[in-house]
C-alpha cells in the first residue's frame, strides 16, 4: 500500500470537512456520538483530534500500518450469497499467522454504580439538547424489559411534552446495548426552551408516568408486547438490515447468532413488575448526563 504526501493532504482536508459537518448536524444526532466519545477510551475530543491530525505524516501512516499488520489479525464476517468455496478461498488468502492473539475490544469507561458523569458542550446551533443515560450490565431480560418500557413511554412523552407543552420537537426514551452494557434513558432537543426548563419537565413527567405504569392493565401490556414482537419478528427488508441483525452477535462472539431469538423469547416473559422494577432502579445505576448548549441558550448547568 502506497501513501503519497499529496493524497495525505487531500484525506486530511476531507476528514476535517467531515468533522465540521458533524459539528453542524442536528443536536439530537450529536448526542449518541458524544456519549460514545465519553465512554470509549479509544475515542478522543474532536479539538484534540484536529490538532493531532495536523502533525500526521506519511511516515506515521506507514509505521501504523506495519504495527497493525504485525500485531493484529483480521476478523472477517462474510454475509450474503457466498458459496463455501469462495469463503474458503478468501480465508486461505488471509494471513492467519496471528490467529492466536487475543481479540482487541475497545476499553470502556468504568464508573461505580450510583456515579454521575456530567458533560457540557457548546454547540454551533441555536437549539439545546440533552441526554440522560443510565447503564447496567447487559442481560437479554433487561434488554427486553427496557424495549417494552420504550414502547409504553414514548407515546406518552410525545403527547405530554411535545403536543401539550410544546417543549421539544425531538424527544423520547431509548435503549441501546454497547458491548456488555445496556444504556437506557431520555433525550430531548428544543428550539424554544432552555435546558433547565426541559429537564425539569421530563423529571415531572417521569414521576407522573410511574403512576400510569402501575395502573397499566394486562390487556394494554399485551397489546404493547404484540407490537414489539411484530417489529422484532419482521423479515429483513434488505441485506443491510439482515446483516445488522447478526453483527452484534458476531462482535460479541455469539456465533450461534441466536441473540435476536433469545430477545424475542424474553419479551414474551416480561411482566409489569419487571418494568416497574427497572423504572425504579435507575437511581442506583451509573449515569451519563450530556448537555449540548446552543449559541442563544441559557448556559446554566443542569443539576445531576
Amino acid at each position: 500500500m502506497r501513501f503519497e504526501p499529496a493524497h495525505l493532504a487531500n484525506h486530511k482536508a476531507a476528514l476535517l470537512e467531515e468533522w465540521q459537518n458533524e459539528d453542524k448536524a442536528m443536536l439530537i444526532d450529536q448526542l449518541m456520538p458524544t456519549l460514545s466519545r465519553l465512554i470509549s477510551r479509544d475515542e478522543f475530543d474532536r479539538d484534540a483530534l484536529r490538532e493531532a491530525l495536523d502533525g500526521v505524516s506519511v511516515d506515521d501512516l506507514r509505521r501504523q500500518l506495519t504495527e497493525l499488520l504485525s500485531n493484529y489479525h483480521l476478523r472477517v464476517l462474510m454475509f450474503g450469497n457466498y458459496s463455501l468455496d469462495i469463503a474458503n478461498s478468501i480465508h486461505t488468502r488471509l494471513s492467519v499467522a496471528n490467529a492466536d492473539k487475543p481479540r482487541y475490544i475497545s476499553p470502556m469507561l468504568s464508573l461505580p454504580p450510583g456515579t454521575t458523569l456530567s458533560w457540557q458542550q457548546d454547540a454551533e446551533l441555536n437549539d439545546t439538547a440533552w441526554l440522560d443515560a443510565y447503564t447496567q450490565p447487559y442481560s437479554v431480560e433487561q434488554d427486553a424489559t427496557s424495549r417494552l418500557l420504550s414502547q409504553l413511554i414514548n407515546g406518552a412523552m410525545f403527547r405530554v411534552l411535545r403536543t401539550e407543552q410544546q417543549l421539544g420537537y425531538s424527544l423520547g426514551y431509548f435503549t441501546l446495548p454497547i458491548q456488555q452494557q445496556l444504556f437506557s434513558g431520555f433525550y430531548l432537543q428544543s428550539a424554544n426552551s432552555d435546558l433547565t426548563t426541559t429537564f425539569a419537565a421530563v423529571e415531572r413527567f417521569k414521576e407522573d408516568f410511574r403512576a400510569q405504569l402501575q395502573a397499566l392493565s394486562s390487556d394494554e401490556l399485551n397489546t404493547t408486547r404484540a407490537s414489539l414482537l411484530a417489529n422484532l419478528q419482521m423479515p429483513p427488508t434488505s441485506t443491510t438490515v439482515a446483516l445488522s441483525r447478526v453483527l452484534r452477535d458476531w462482535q460479541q462472539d455469539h456465533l450461534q447468532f441466536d441473540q435476536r431469538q433469545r430477545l424475542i423469547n424474553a419479551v414474551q416473559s416480561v411482566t409489569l413488575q419487571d418494568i416497574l422494577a427497572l423504572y425504579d432502579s435507575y437511581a442506583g445505576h451509573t449515569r451519563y448526563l450530556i448537555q449540548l448548549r446552543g449559541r442563544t441558550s441559557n448556559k446554566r448547568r443542569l443539576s445531576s
Side-chain angles (χ1 to χ4, degrees):
M1 185 177 295
R2 298 178 60 186
F3 298 106
E4 301 295 340
H7 295 160
L8 177 59
N10 290 337
H11 287 307
K12 284 184 178 182
L15 189 54
L16 288 171
E17 183 178 3
E18 178 183 330
W19 288 342
Q20 185 178 31
N21 290 337
E22 290 175 357
D23 290 342
K24 294 180 179 179
M26 288 184 62
L27 295 187
I28 207 73
D29 295 327
Q30 297 186 41
L31 288 171
M32 288 301 178
T34 301
L35 174 64
S36 179
R37 287 194 290 272
L38 284 177
I39 64 177
S40 174
R41 293 185 178 274
D42 281 345
E43 297 195 38
F44 301 92
D45 177 77
R46 189 59 58 78
D47 289 337
L49 286 174
R50 288 188 176 99
E51 184 176 348
L53 180 66
D54 187 55
V56 173
S57 67
V58 170
D59 288 340
D60 293 330
L61 290 179
R62 289 171 179 154
R63 281 193 296 270
Q64 181 75 4
L65 179 61
T66 300
E67 180 182 351
L68 287 172
L69 295 179
S70 301
N71 295 288
Y72 299 95
H73 67 275
L74 293 172
R75 296 181 75 238
V76 179
L77 172 64
M78 299 178 63
F79 185 88
N81 191 23
Y82 293 102
S83 68
L84 183 58
D85 288 341
I86 293 175
N88 286 333
S89 173
I90 293 177
H91 179 268
T92 301
R93 291 168 59 188
L94 295 173
S95 171
V96 294
N98 294 326
D100 60 333
K101 293 185 179 294
R103 181 163 62 92
Y104 179 82
I105 299 176
S106 297
M108 289 179 61
L109 181 65
S110 179
L111 298 174
T115 303
T116 297
L117 188 153
S118 182
W119 175 266
Q120 304 88 42
Q121 180 177 316
D122 291 336
E124 296 188 23
L125 305 177
N126 292 329
D127 291 7
T128 61
W130 55 262
L131 178 134
D132 191 11
Y134 299 82
T135 181
Q136 59 181 304
Y138 180 85
S139 73
V140 69
E141 293 79 15
Q142 289 293 71
D143 192 356
T145 303
S146 189
R147 289 175 187 245
L148 261 176
L149 176 58
S150 178
Q151 293 279 110
L152 291 165
I153 201 170
N154 276 324
M157 281 190 70
F158 191 93
R159 183 183 69 254
V160 173
L161 297 175
R162 176 171 174 170
T163 304
E164 296 176 6
Q165 300 183 22
Q166 298 186 1
L167 290 177
Y169 58 85
S170 185
L171 50 85
Y173 173 94
F174 76 96
T175 184
L176 178 68
I178 302 178
Q179 292 190 22
Q180 298 303 321
Q181 297 291 314
L182 180 65
F183 288 78
S184 305
F186 300 85
Y187 63 89
L188 185 145
Q189 177 173 342
S190 178
N192 58 2
S193 299
D194 61 28
L195 290 164
T196 53
T197 299
T198 56
F199 191 78
V202 171
E203 289 298 297
R204 291 191 298 271
F205 169 83
K206 287 160 63 176
E207 293 179 9
D208 294 340
F209 189 74
R210 174 63 170 75
Q212 295 180 43
L213 271 180
Q214 201 159 17
L216 194 72
S217 70
S218 58
D219 286 344
E220 290 170 320
L221 177 58
N222 287 332
T223 298
T224 304
R225 189 197 318 275
S227 175
L228 176 57
L229 287 171
N231 288 334
L232 289 172
Q233 294 171 326
M234 184 179 299
T237 56
S238 67
T239 301
T240 300
V241 174
L243 174 60
S244 70
R245 294 185 176 183
V246 301
L247 192 57
R248 175 173 164 77
D249 280 8
W250 178 71
Q251 291 170 335
Q252 300 297 324
D253 280 339
H254 297 145
L255 300 185
Q256 293 79 21
F257 298 101
D258 62 350
Q259 286 293 95
R260 191 175 187 86
Q261 185 57 53
R262 290 182 61 207
L263 178 62
I264 289 170
N265 295 342
V267 168
Q268 294 172 336
S269 302
V270 173
T271 67
L272 179 57
Q273 291 307 310
D274 294 330
I275 296 173
L276 288 168
L278 175 66
Y279 198 73
D280 292 338
S281 71
Y282 286 130
H285 295 158
T286 303
R287 184 184 189 187
Y288 296 88
L289 181 57
I290 297 172
Q291 306 155 48
L292 302 182
R293 304 169 301 192
R295 289 183 295 240
T296 60
S297 68
N298 184 339
K299 302 296 182 180
R300 186 168 51 170
R301 174 178 176 171
L302 292 180
S303 172
S304 59

